[in-house]
Amino acid sequence: NPEDEVFVTEGASGAISTIIDGFCNRGDVVLVPCPAYTLYRINAEMRNADAVELETKAPEFKVTPQLLKDALDKYGDRVKVVVLNYPVNPTGVSYSPDEVRALADVLKQYDVAVLDDEIYADLIYEGEHLSLAKVLPEQTLLVSGVSKNAAMTGWRIGYICGPSDVLKPLAQ
């Protein structure tokens, strides 16, 4: 519903900041796949939260369900946000629909928000893109914008799509 499930921000970077600021306090944990866009870590550190890297392995550089589950179990209730970014900045790696569903199966077992950065989703040239927001809408905060997919790099218009009960407090 565009009336209460979309929040427009000053670029996708503003969306990322809004989510991490809205969920995290000192000592909370943000799980960040590595390698990753640096803004996730920077925003967590600005909130005095801990950015914990999920070390992915070459050549795939993908978060596996087991890697995700191990980190969620290890940090427990301290985890407030799990970052997923695909296609991944900086590697360009993406996840198949089956891999997205497998990650969703793990995430739905935990009370965490998922910052699902899909700013590059329209730039996939092979395979099928499945948004985590379609599979796990109750926990997913989809981040995107117009600067990448519409080649409008100077236009800093981003957005968050997610459940209205989650977005409303973030928008205040």
Side-chain angles (χ1 to χ4, degrees):
N1 179 351
E3 295 295 321
D4 62 359
E5 294 181 333
V6 178
F7 177 57
V8 177
T9 61
E10 67 287 359
S13 295
I16 292 165
S17 299
T18 297
I19 292 167
I20 292 174
D21 287 351
F23 279 91
C24 294
N25 293 302
R26 179 179 301 277
D28 289 337
V29 168
V30 177
L31 296 179
V32 181
C34 184
Y37 178 48
T38 58
L39 192 60
Y40 309 122
R41 170 176 286 291
I42 291 167
N43 273 279
E45 290 172 353
M46 287 174 44
R47 294 295 299 167
N48 293 307
D50 298 321
V52 173
E53 293 181 349
L54 298 174
E55 291 291 336
T56 61
K57 305 259 190 266
E60 293 86 14
F61 295 109
K62 293 183 180 184
V63 174
T64 64
Q66 190 62 54
L67 177 63
L68 180 58
K69 182 177 181 351
D70 290 347
L72 287 163
D73 288 343
K74 179 177 181 178
Y75 294 99
D77 292 341
R78 290 183 56 212
V79 179
K80 302 302 177 197
V81 176
V82 174
V83 174
L84 289 177
N85 166 233
Y86 64 102
V88 176
N89 176 4
T91 66
V93 168
S94 198
Y95 293 87
S96 72
D98 287 341
E99 290 168 325
V100 170
R101 287 184 196 95
L103 292 172
D105 286 343
V106 172
L107 289 163
K108 68 183 174 187
Q109 298 173 43
Y110 298 86
D111 184 21
V112 295
V114 183
L115 189 165
D116 181 29
D117 183 349
E118 296 185 29
I119 189 96
Y120 293 104
D122 291 333
L123 301 176
I124 292 177
Y125 301 107
E126 291 180 14
E128 178 187 348
H129 179 81
L130 175 63
S131 175
L132 185 67
K134 289 183 178 178
V135 181
L136 192 65
E138 60 279 359
Q139 286 176 256
T140 303
L141 296 162
L142 173 69
V143 171
S144 197
V146 301
S147 66
K148 308 294 190 240
N149 62 355
M152 296 190 288
T153 55
W155 289 41
R156 294 296 171 210
I157 302 169
Y159 55 87
I160 307 167
C161 298
S164 61
D165 61 324
V166 176
L167 283 185
K168 187 173 182 176
L170 294 179
Q172 296 178 356

